[in-house]
Structures are given as structure tokens and as C-alpha cells.
Amino acid sequence: MSTVAEKLIYSCEIPVRWGDMDAYGHVNNAMYMRYLEEARVQLLAKMGAKMDGGGIDPVVINVGCTFMRPIVYPDTVRIDCFVSEPGRSSFMTLYKIYSESDPSQAVSEGYAKVVWMDHHSGKSVPLPADIRQYIES
């Protein structure tokens, strides 16, 4: 994960559930997408973003994750959320996930591009001024 023009903007903790694990005895890769989604939704709510799907809302247009170390139950993950310089209608969210059982090294890194979209037209729209200000402050 690059560190150019990125800043830590939010951090949260999520408990690992028994059902998050797979047949290999560690957290299933699909669960990381859920962890990133939960952190992103919390971040967007803190920013004041409306997410009701009825008008102009943020949507994710791409997402990815690199897995570096397994996580096993019981544990809690900490997700540090970073953002990069905003564009006209979007910004990148970048994530580092840490395990409470060994917080010295990230267990994974992820990203998602968030775009503001008009659900009626299906087209991107400029970032709301308050969201841009939150990112740039």
C-alpha cells in the first residue's frame, strides 16, 4: 500500500466471530470484505454521508484485499482507515487490518474506491462540500 498523500482518518475494532472462520481454521477471505465494509460504513457515517439509496449517495466501484497473516477466533481486529487526495467525485479508502493478538504487524491491507452517484441518473456527481472538507481538514 502506498503512503503518498494518504492520511489516517478513522479507526475501529471488530470482534472476530466463530462463524467467520472456514474449514482451514482461520478467518475466511470473504470476511475481510465484510470487515472493510463495516469500517467504511462507520467512516462514511462519521463523515455525515447519506446512505439511504434514495438520491445522491456514495457507492463502491472497486475493492481489493491482500492477505498477509491468518486470523483465528477468538480475536478482535483493528482497522485503520486512510483516504487519499479526493478527486472530483471520488476518493480512495485504504485499510490496514491488525489483529489484537499481535498488533505489531498488519494481517492484511485493502482498498475501495468510493464514488458519489446520483441514483436517478446513474452518473457520478461532485463530492459534497462537507465530505470534501472532512477529507481535506
Side-chain angles (χ1 to χ4, degrees):
M1 183 165 70
S2 166
T3 57
V4 176
E6 297 168 7
K7 68 177 185 175
L8 179 62
I9 195 166
Y10 185 72
S11 188
C12 66
E13 293 184 351
I14 300 171
V16 173
R17 300 167 303 182
W18 173 259
D20 293 351
M21 294 195 307
D22 60 19
Y24 295 119
H26 56 73
V27 171
N28 183 273
N29 60 356
M31 292 310 305
Y32 288 75
M33 294 298 113
R34 291 287 189 134
Y35 298 156
L36 297 183
E37 175 187 55
E38 180 61 31
R40 184 173 50 257
V41 168
Q42 288 183 25
L43 169 62
L44 289 168
K46 183 175 178 183
M47 292 172 131
K50 293 184 174 105
M51 295 178 281
D52 60 15
I56 297 175
D57 302 289
V59 298
V60 171
I61 64 165
N62 67 16
V63 64
C65 192
T66 301
F67 311 102
M68 298 176 301
R69 294 184 14 236
I71 302 170
V72 298
Y73 177 88
D75 207 343
T76 298
V77 294
R78 184 187 85 232
I79 304 175
D80 290 344
C81 305
F82 301 82
V83 294
S84 63
E85 191 72 25
R88 181 191 76 83
S89 62
S90 66
F91 59 89
M92 287 296 294
T93 55
L94 305 145
Y95 311 94
K96 284 195 176 191
I97 301 178
Y98 296 89
S99 167
E100 187 177 78
S101 64
D102 182 8
S104 65
Q105 297 179 325
V107 296
S108 69
E109 296 178 343
Y111 67 89
K113 187 167 189 176
V114 179
V115 177
W116 255 254
M117 185 177 115
D118 180 332
H119 290 278
H120 301 293
S121 71
K123 297 186 185 223
S124 67
V125 298
L127 283 175
D130 55 334
I131 299 297
R132 182 176 295 282
Q133 181 180 0
Y134 191 94
I135 294 169
E136 293 176 344
S137 64

